[in-house]
Amino acid sequence: MVLAAGLGKRMRPITDTIPKPLVKIAGKTLLDWGLDSLAMAGVEKAVVNVHYLPDQIVAHAASRRAPSIAISDERDGLLDSAGGIVKALPELGTDPFYIVNADTFWVDEGTPNLTRLALAWDDARMDILIMLAALPQATGHSGGTDFLVAPDGQLRRAAGSPDGLIYAGAAIIHPRIFADAPAGAISLNRYFDEAISAGRLFGMPMQGSWITVGTPDAIVPAEAAVKRALAGAQ
């Protein structure tokens, strides 16, 4: 599931005419950074939700060869992160699936991070397994940290602690957590907190460089970070 339905207001004026997932960084759209990572991990089908300037995303998705893409249409109203997933569940099926934010991306170092995430998944212990980035790995991040990681990988909220890690915009989720989901807009944070309470939210530190592009002036640093990461991988 690629979450691509946001308004991208902080990216104006660029997003006055194009949706944020189609903003290009180092010659590749944010959406393609995510879809390429999924394809590299062996994902054959992705669901992309759309709301703002949706026809552009639909047309762009149709130009791709892999993964195959189903569109989840939210033109009638934004459903937030979890609400968008719930709407798309009929396309996503009953097995655990990846979620990827369309406004952040990363450059892998070594084994692709989404492959590592799948290898770390333990259905008996986990409802959600999220990818985490350390502050030194991040470019464009203006906030604090999100989660503290226990030795066994369990997570709790970091509340900005310097010892914490950042939610890196990718995860594996089991759809059972949405069994009693209400209709309408709802944030994934609710399900993160429920999984914490149940001892079933886990994290995996990523390898490589993590990049978020929140405003137009973040594009140049993002492209520089990509260049450095790709040069280091050679």
Side-chain angles (χ1 to χ4, degrees):
M1 176 86 200
V2 182
L3 299 173
L7 298 173
K9 291 181 178 180
R10 292 196 302 137
M11 284 296 290
R12 290 174 177 167
I14 295 172
T15 50
D16 286 341
T17 55
I18 62 171
K20 185 176 179 181
L22 297 188
V23 171
K24 288 187 176 182
I25 303 297
K28 184 190 295 191
T29 69
L30 290 168
L31 180 61
D32 285 326
W33 279 104
L35 288 169
D36 286 351
S37 292
L38 290 168
M40 191 177 300
V43 172
E44 297 179 354
K45 175 185 177 181
V47 181
V48 178
N49 65 346
V50 297
H51 172 78
Y52 177 64
L53 300 176
D55 293 339
Q56 292 186 41
I57 296 178
V58 171
H60 185 83
S63 72
R64 287 188 57 97
R65 299 182 66 179
S68 67
I69 295 173
I71 298 296
S72 182
D73 197 324
E74 296 181 24
R75 297 173 207 235
D76 292 339
L78 280 170
L79 295 173
D80 208 336
S81 49
I85 294 170
V86 170
K87 177 179 171 62
L89 283 176
E91 293 279 2
L92 293 166
T94 58
D95 293 326
F97 54 84
Y98 290 110
I99 61 167
V100 175
N101 289 349
D103 58 355
T104 63
F105 68 100
W106 60 92
V107 179
D108 291 311
E109 182 180 294
T111 302
N113 283 293
L114 292 187
T115 299
R116 294 179 59 241
L117 205 64
L119 292 171
W121 175 260
D122 182 346
D123 200 78
R125 293 194 303 150
M126 303 173 182
D127 285 334
I128 306 172
L129 174 64
I130 68 175
M131 190 171 84
L132 299 165
L135 286 170
Q137 293 175 285
T139 297
H141 181 68
S142 57
T145 60
D146 300 307
F147 295 102
L148 293 168
V149 188
D152 67 351
Q154 278 197 55
L155 301 184
R156 58 188 175 90
R157 294 286 183 178
S161 167
D163 297 325
L165 298 176
I166 307 162
Y167 172 45
I172 294 176
I173 288 185
H174 198 293
R176 62 182 165 235
I177 68 172
F178 301 114
D180 299 315
I186 188 167
S187 171
L188 264 176
N189 278 307
R190 166 176 168 170
Y191 295 94
F192 288 168
D193 288 336
E194 288 179 355
I196 288 172
S197 296
R200 297 183 63 84
L201 181 71
F202 285 76
M204 182 205 75
M206 65 166 292
Q207 295 176 347
S209 300
W210 182 71
I211 300 162
T212 180
V213 186
T215 59
D217 60 6
I219 291 176
V220 170
E223 293 188 328
V226 170
K227 185 175 181 180
R228 287 194 303 272
L230 292 177
Q234 292 177 355

